[in-house]
């Protein structure tokens, strides 16, 4: 372990008597000083717990085998363990007491947002009942016996379909060979997700639940390597189509990867790779999927020669996969701490290429791009994005890295090791004041791992002052209103070789814009036509909104438009396009049936006859 950013290391095995083989290391999300180590279950079943950053450990032997641990997001002492014999175990309050509560169930999921449940210690889980069906169950972590569990959804659900994410819970139920999807918003009763009626989904993935809206990727019955992108209303029930035929692929563990990337630091900006006529092209949106456009290629190449690339026949295309290795930068990256700055691997041409690639950078949120390398590089953000560190992505050993202080316009070459190193990855914290980077790898295929600490503090000549900053106006091809706001960011001037440090705070000036047509998307059941108007789709009848409405009640009658979720525009077209609260319309009765109590339509004179009147509606 190292407690000084990799300057010195100490070996723990001899110090704390670790003579067993360790399989996993966990760090508590609520207390970074707390570390838990699991032993290899094939050797012995034990857990080692440290409360002082790994300086000392207390060892506890267990009578079961832990497969994985799950820390509670709020309560430091609460831990769930998933054992190899498929039991849910909860460690409650006092770790040292070694008190484990064993509960039979399937995989557990902590809720993401505490406070929405009546109790803050709820566990969400799938569990198989005696009849062999899988159900969604909840319980309090300290009271999770059979009699104490709740069943928020009465029917059985598909195995491994439970998703608890922010304020939403999703489940899947397959009936008659067709998958149906249900959602609960803010722990309210479940409602069936409504896709356009022509949609026949065979697979769905929840991409994002940020800012009270759901992005979902749906694979239709006739799709194989693409998904359609849908976006929901606030409750996550009614979905409208945002983009068709988004490229998909499989990860190293067989997981589905959708080529959709959310730009960090600025809400509403997404990049997607779409398949058109067997070509993959990169599109960008600045309003959460309402409008998409191709990326404009750079004006010049690395040597300053003009680039001939005319939209829509030629554009910039980017690889949008996040790295499955947390110690490499991936093919695209952006940071909350550096809004507007994007770095991505890609190419210029008619479609996305996997051979002729380079590295491109945007300093204005994707409006314009510059090429910074002609080969594939890993690029990391240093000191809040004020400096960029690049290392060649290659299978051969290297010993140089490049550093830029002007957003990739110029680079300085540095040697970080005297002997070439096969680089496996690096650790970088973009906000720490000491500007430390740890590179790890090996000198040969048979050598042990090497850790190289790179301290950049000496190349930051001073702390930044007010003359080192400039303002940057967010825009979409010159349009200053993005998601209903005008935003002005403070950023370090390119070339200013000064450090921001830990106490740096970004100053953002924002003011709302007047609502225009671009701030509204078509509501569920409506489609945008060439005149930019939202009209009812062929499968949708606007009067259906009042179908389940009773006389005396009211309902929201859609105008065909809904304001984009998290859009902050005011006035303008807002009143015109807002749904109107209306009284439920009266309807003619139907389905009249007349019966008698004895089931006969004849009766003897002098006898009473009781009639039963039934009306369907």
């Amino acid at each position: 372990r190292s407690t000084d950013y990799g300057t010195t290391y100490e070996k723990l095995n001899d110090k704390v008597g670790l003579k067993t083989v360790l399989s996993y290391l966990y760090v508590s999300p609520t207390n970074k000083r707390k570390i838990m180590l699991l032993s290899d279950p094939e050797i012995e079943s034990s857990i080692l717990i440290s409360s002082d950053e790994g300086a000392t450990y207390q060892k506890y032997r267990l009578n079961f085998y832990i497969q994985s641990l799950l820390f509670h997001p709020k309560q430091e002492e609460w831990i769930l363990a998933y054992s190899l014999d498929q039991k849910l175990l909860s460690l409650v309050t006092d770790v040292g007491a070694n008190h484990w509560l064993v509960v039979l169930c399937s995989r557990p999921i902590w809720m993401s947002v505490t406070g929405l449940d009546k109790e803050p210690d709820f566990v969400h889980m799938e569990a198989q009942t005696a009849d062999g069906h899988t159900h969604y169950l909840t319980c309090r972590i300290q009271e999770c016996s059979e009699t104490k569990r709740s069943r928020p959804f009465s029917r059985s659900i598909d195995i491994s379909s439970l998703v608890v994410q922010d304020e939403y819970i999703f489940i899947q139920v397959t009936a008659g060979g067709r998958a149906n999807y249900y959602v609960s918003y803010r722990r309210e009763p479940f409602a069936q997700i409504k896709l356009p009626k022509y949609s026949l989904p065979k697979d769905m993935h929840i991409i994002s639940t940020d800012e009270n809206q759901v992005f979902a990727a749906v694979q239709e019955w006739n799709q194989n390597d693409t998904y359609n992108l849908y976006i929901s209303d606030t409750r996550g029930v009614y979905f409208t189509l945002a983009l068709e035929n988004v490229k998909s692929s499989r990860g190293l563990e067989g997981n589905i990867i959708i080529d959709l990337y959310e730009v960090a630091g600025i809400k509403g900006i997404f990049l997607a790779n779409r398949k058109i006529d067997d070509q993959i092209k990169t599109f960008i949106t600045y309003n959460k999927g309402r409008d998409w456009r191709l990326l404009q290629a750079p004006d010049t190449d690395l040597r300053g020669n003009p680039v001939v690339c005319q939209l829509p026949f030629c554009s910039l295309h980017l690889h949008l996969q996040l790295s499955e290795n947390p110690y490499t930068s991936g093919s695209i990256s952006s940071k909350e701490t550096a809004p507007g700055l994007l770095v991505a691997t890609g190419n210029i041409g008619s479609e996305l290429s996997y051979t002729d690639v380079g590295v491109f950078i945007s300093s204005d949120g994707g409006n314009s791009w510059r090429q910074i390398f002609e080969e594939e590089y890993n690029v990391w953000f240093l000191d809040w994005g004020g400096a960029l560190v690049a290392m060649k992505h290659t299978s051969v050993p290297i010993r140089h890295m490049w550093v830029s202080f002007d957003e990739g316009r110029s680079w300085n070459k540095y040697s970080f090791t005297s002997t070439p190193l096969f680089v496996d990855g690096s650790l970088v914290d973009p906000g720490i004041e000491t500007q430390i980077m740890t590179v790890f790898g090996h000198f040969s295929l048979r050598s042990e791992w090497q850790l190289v600490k790179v301290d950049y503090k000496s190349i930051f000549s001073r702390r930044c002052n007010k003359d080192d900053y400039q303002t940057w106006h967010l825009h979409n091809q010159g349009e200053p209103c993005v998601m209903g706001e005008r935003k002005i960011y403070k950023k370090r001037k390119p070339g200013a070789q000064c450090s921001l440090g830990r106490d740096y705070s970004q100053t953002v000036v924002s003011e709302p814009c007047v609502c225009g047509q671009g701030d509204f998307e078509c509501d569920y059941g409506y489609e945008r036509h060439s005149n930019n108007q939202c009209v009812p789709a062929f499968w949708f009848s606007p009067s259906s909104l009042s179908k389940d409405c009773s006389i005396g009640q009211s309902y929201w009658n859609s105008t065909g438009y809904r304001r984009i979720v998290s859009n902050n525009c005011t006035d303008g077209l807002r009143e015109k396009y807002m749904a109107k609260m209306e009284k439920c319309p009266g309807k003619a009765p139907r389905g009249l049936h007349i019966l008698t109590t004895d089931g006969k339509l004849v009766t003897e004179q002098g006898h009473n006859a009781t009639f039963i009147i039934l009306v369907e509606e």
Side-chain angles (χ1 to χ4, degrees), residues 580-615:
K580 306 297 189 294
M581 180 70 77
E582 295 184 3
K583 293 289 185 181
C584 296
K587 290 176 286 187
R590 65 179 178 86
L592 177 65
H593 302 277
I594 302 178
L595 306 171
T596 62
T597 53
D598 58 5
K600 299 178 181 179
L601 294 182
V602 295
T603 185
E604 296 182 20
Q605 192 171 9
H607 287 78
N608 290 333
T610 301
F611 292 90
I612 300 173
I613 312 298
L614 300 176
V615 182

Side-chain angles (χ1 to χ4, degrees), residues 220-236:
E220 305 286 354
W221 65 274
N222 60 340
Q223 293 177 309
N224 293 316
D225 57 355
T226 61
Y227 280 70
N228 290 344
L229 185 63
Y230 287 87
I231 194 165
S232 78
D233 61 348
T234 300
R235 293 178 57 239

Side-chain angles (χ1 to χ4, degrees), residues 452-569:
V452 180
K453 173 193 172 185
V454 184
D455 190 340
Y456 296 92
K457 193 171 184 179
S458 61
I459 63 175
F460 289 92
S461 56
R462 54 186 173 79
R463 293 295 293 268
C464 296
N465 56 50
K466 63 179 181 179
D467 295 327
D468 295 310
Y469 297 102
Q470 67 181 22
T471 56
W472 171 64
H473 297 248
L474 175 64
H475 66 94
N476 174 17
Q477 288 189 315
E479 168 55 52
C481 290
V482 176
M483 293 294 287
E485 288 181 298
R486 290 184 180 88
K487 281 193 171 183
I488 303 175
Y489 293 88
K490 181 184 75 172
K491 62 187 289 188
R492 181 169 26 197
K493 291 179 180 178
Q497 201 161 326
C498 59
S499 64
L500 297 176
R502 189 185 299 272
D503 55 353
Y504 169 68
S505 63
Q506 295 168 339
T507 302
V508 179
V509 178
S510 64
E511 60 178 20
C513 299
V514 175
C515 291
Q517 209 160 36
D519 298 304
F520 296 85
E521 59 190 359
C522 292
D523 205 349
Y524 176 79
Y526 291 81
E527 295 176 344
R528 189 177 310 282
H529 280 216
S530 55
N531 59 1
N532 217 23
Q533 299 296 310
C534 295
V535 298
F538 70 91
W539 51 267
F540 180 73
S541 173
S543 61
S544 63
L545 294 173
S546 59
K547 180 179 178 181
D548 300 325
C549 194
S550 302
I551 295 177
Q553 295 180 338
S554 298
Y555 75 103
W556 288 104
N557 188 15
S558 175
T559 63
Y561 300 83
R562 67 185 185 195
R563 191 169 65 156
I564 298 170
V565 175
S566 71
N567 184 294
N568 293 323
C569 71

Side-chain angles (χ1 to χ4, degrees), residues 52-123:
D52 53 11
E53 298 179 338
T56 59
Y57 285 87
Q58 184 70 36
K59 186 175 181 179
Y60 301 95
R61 290 193 175 274
L62 306 174
N63 57 1
F64 51 86
Y65 296 101
I66 296 177
Q67 186 174 359
S68 61
L69 288 177
L70 196 63
F71 283 93
H72 192 284
K74 299 291 183 181
Q75 301 291 338
E76 175 189 335
E77 299 290 342
W78 290 357
I79 306 160
L80 291 181
Y82 187 55
S83 72
L84 292 175
D85 53 355
Q86 295 202 343
K87 293 179 180 179
L88 173 71
L89 308 121
S90 59
L91 177 61
V92 184
T93 307
D94 185 7
V95 176
N98 200 21
H99 174 215
W100 295 85
L101 175 67
V102 180
V103 182
L104 288 170
C105 76
S106 188
R107 63 189 182 96
I109 303 178
W110 282 109
M111 66 177 185
S112 309
V113 182
T114 57
L116 293 176
D117 292 302
K118 294 180 181 179
E119 304 290 342
D121 55 348
F122 260 36
V123 177

